[in-house]
Amino acid sequence: MHSPWKRDATVFLGSQALSLLGSALVQYALLWHVTLQTRSGVMMTLYIVAGFLPTFLLSPFAGMWADRYDRRKLIVLADALIALVTLGLAVTFTLRGTELWLFFLAAGIRSVGAAVQQPAVGALLPQLVPEDQLMRVNGIQGTLMSANMLGAPALAGFLMSVAPLQVLFLIDVVTAALAILLMMLLRVKARPPVPAEGHSQLREIADGFRYIRDHAHLVPFFGYLGLILVLITPAAFLTPLQTARSFGTEVWRLTAIEMVFSVGMMVGGAALAAWGGFHNRMRTMVVSNLVMGVCTVGLGLVPFFWVYLAVMGVFGIALPLYNTPATVMLQEHVEPAFLGRVFGVMTMLSTSLMPLSMLLFGPLAETVSIERLLQITGALVVLLGLLAPLHRRLMAFGEPRPAAPPAAAQGTPTLTA
């Protein structure tokens, strides 16, 4: 390592990879158990709502805390909370058995930690990485996440077939502990303190929303993200149920779709890290938008499982081209004092809109075929991708800021709106 920031970024990314591995094992185990035991769109919707509601309610506070307090410590506290709760759930499952209501409780409690962690993670990276490296480092982070997602379904499927759920919970506890140890080694340059004297937390949250409202680009940008999230909800949440209904209830099929999707994400993230995307970040997102729409329609049309898997893989390739530029645009254009709160709002959108949409799509899946839902929503995603370039303010948000002076690249980047 010739640059200190590379060492710090490596430690940070390693910590997040460990934390995500354990969380992914538990996530797959809980979701698959509910899916295979109930085979009900309504029960899946209830489980998803239980998993998003705490995150939705806490995200504004979590974003404000990420602007007010040490972001590294917030990430450590969130990991510790999730680990302790997971350990408690392992003991509870041992004593009471795998009752269905415990799965809903587990999803709800774990989402509290996720609410605190996500805005802090998004806002911390610009403190570690020069601004001109944000796209590549975020791309590498996406690749590591995809690699985790590739291994986690296979490991979760294997462990579910040979061991009780408590084993997966204990693995999550161990990976969280290792992630915390790595985070404690991280060297984070101090930020200028945010004046908070005389300001209540609610006042600071309101200031964050006003900042978004008054920003030239954030309202159309979040509106675009929101529409995408709503329309890809059936592809994100109903494909496991579609697989169980249309192709078979074997666990290996659910494992296969997750693994193929993860391979696609890993390929897409690696390609983006090497390529860097189009000069205009929004152009990269629009291309991803169009590919995801076509793939969503394809998932509703293909009759053979192996073709279904191929479409799922292409969908996975396109996703990092959507997620990573969205994160980088915020890191580049939002003032540091508001970055946590803006990421808090992004967390609210990403964790709430899709589960809320399941209140519509889940019951619909009981009366309308999932294939038809995928065809309709996929066509609308394609239409949105064709219309987005016509919105000048939205596309202008994708233009990167002018290069910082050489001295700025050696320290913590200074961001402006």
Side-chain angles (χ1 to χ4, degrees):
M1 293 292 179
H2 299 291
S3 302
W5 71 264
K6 293 183 180 179
R7 179 261 184 195
D8 295 331
T10 300
V11 171
F12 175 73
L13 294 176
S15 170
Q16 291 304 296
L18 281 170
S19 177
L20 288 170
L21 174 61
S23 296
L25 289 177
V26 175
Q27 175 185 339
Y28 287 126
L30 296 179
L31 178 60
W32 289 353
H33 188 90
V34 173
T35 299
L36 297 176
Q37 291 298 313
T38 66
R39 299 182 65 181
S40 166
V42 172
M43 295 305 295
M44 284 185 64
T45 301
L46 291 176
Y47 172 80
I48 292 165
V49 169
F52 97 85
L53 192 58
T55 299
F56 175 76
L57 295 175
L58 284 177
S59 286
F61 292 92
M64 178 271 301
W65 295 333
D67 286 333
R68 178 185 280 196
Y69 303 119
D70 187 321
R71 291 161 180 167
R72 184 189 65 166
K73 292 180 180 178
L74 286 174
I75 295 170
V76 168
L77 288 173
D79 270 332
L81 171 64
I82 293 174
L84 289 174
V85 169
T86 303
L87 182 61
L89 286 169
V91 174
T92 304
F93 273 50
T94 301
L95 297 176
R96 299 187 58 92
T98 55
E99 299 180 25
L100 191 60
W101 68 271
L102 285 172
F103 289 84
F104 298 138
L105 179 64
I109 296 177
R110 288 172 59 82
S111 73
V112 172
V116 176
Q117 190 177 55
Q118 291 178 21
V121 168
L124 179 63
L125 199 55
Q127 290 180 247
L128 305 174
V129 178
E131 185 173 314
D132 62 349
Q133 298 296 323
L134 282 172
M135 179 66 85
R136 297 188 185 280
V137 174
N138 276 283
I140 293 171
Q141 183 180 25
T143 303
L144 292 174
M145 291 173 60
S146 303
N148 263 336
M149 292 173 63
L150 173 62
L155 184 57
F158 171 74
L159 292 174
M160 286 178 67
S161 64
V162 301
L165 287 172
Q166 294 91 310
V167 172
L168 283 84
F169 290 162
L170 294 177
I171 292 175
D172 188 24
V173 173
V174 172
T175 55
L178 293 174
I180 290 172
L181 289 176
L182 281 178
M183 286 298 296
M184 297 304 294
L185 299 175
L186 191 64
R187 301 172 300 187
V188 180
K189 294 183 179 180
R191 293 179 293 144
V194 178
E197 293 79 3
H199 287 188
S200 68
Q201 294 191 10
L202 291 178
R203 167 71 180 277
E204 290 185 52
I205 292 171
D207 287 343
F209 281 106
R210 278 192 289 270
Y211 175 83
I212 293 172
R213 181 196 64 190
D214 296 338
H215 197 284
H217 305 288
L218 288 179
V219 171
F221 178 68
F222 281 139
Y224 172 73
L225 292 184
L227 287 173
I228 290 286
L229 289 170
V230 170
L231 292 174
I232 67 170
T233 295
F237 286 132
L238 292 178
T239 46
L241 182 59
Q242 178 195 16
T243 298
R245 287 179 178 178
S246 302
F247 300 110
T249 59
E250 299 87 351
V251 173
W252 73 263
R253 295 185 186 273
L254 300 181
T255 304
I257 63 174
E258 296 293 347
M259 289 183 64
V260 168
F261 185 76
S262 299
V263 169
M265 286 187 62
M266 188 163 56
V267 171
L272 188 60
W275 165 41
F278 293 111
H279 177 76
N280 186 307
R281 317 295 194 200
M282 278 302 307
R283 292 185 184 277
T284 307
M285 290 188 68
V286 168
V287 170
S288 172
N289 180 165
L290 293 170
V291 174
M292 289 192 296
V294 171
C295 288
T296 301
V297 174
L299 292 173
L301 292 175
V302 296
F304 304 111
F305 188 62
W306 67 270
V307 181
Y308 187 89
L309 289 178
V311 175
M312 189 66 75
V314 176
F315 199 126
I317 292 173
L319 192 58
L321 277 68
Y322 165 82
N323 287 333
T324 303
T327 299
V328 172
M329 281 189 280
L330 296 182
Q331 293 169 340
E332 287 179 331
H333 292 287
V334 174
E335 293 180 24
F338 291 93
L339 191 56
R341 279 166 284 185
V342 171
F343 269 111
V345 172
M346 189 171 182
T347 300
M348 287 180 65
L349 291 175
S350 62
T351 58
S352 66
L353 286 180
M354 295 173 75
L356 284 173
S357 300
M358 277 295 288
L359 295 175
L360 168 65
F361 293 118
L364 271 179
E366 303 296 325
T367 57
V368 179
S369 72
I370 297 175
E371 287 77 9
R372 181 57 57 85
L373 292 177
L374 291 170
Q375 293 164 18
I376 295 173
T377 54
L380 292 174
V381 171
V382 171
L383 178 61
L384 180 62
L386 294 174
L387 294 177
L390 302 179
H391 197 297
R392 294 184 178 180
R393 184 173 294 181
L394 176 63
M395 298 305 295
F397 191 47
E399 292 292 336
R401 295 190 328 129
Q410 301 173 5
T412 303
T414 301
L415 310 182
T416 58

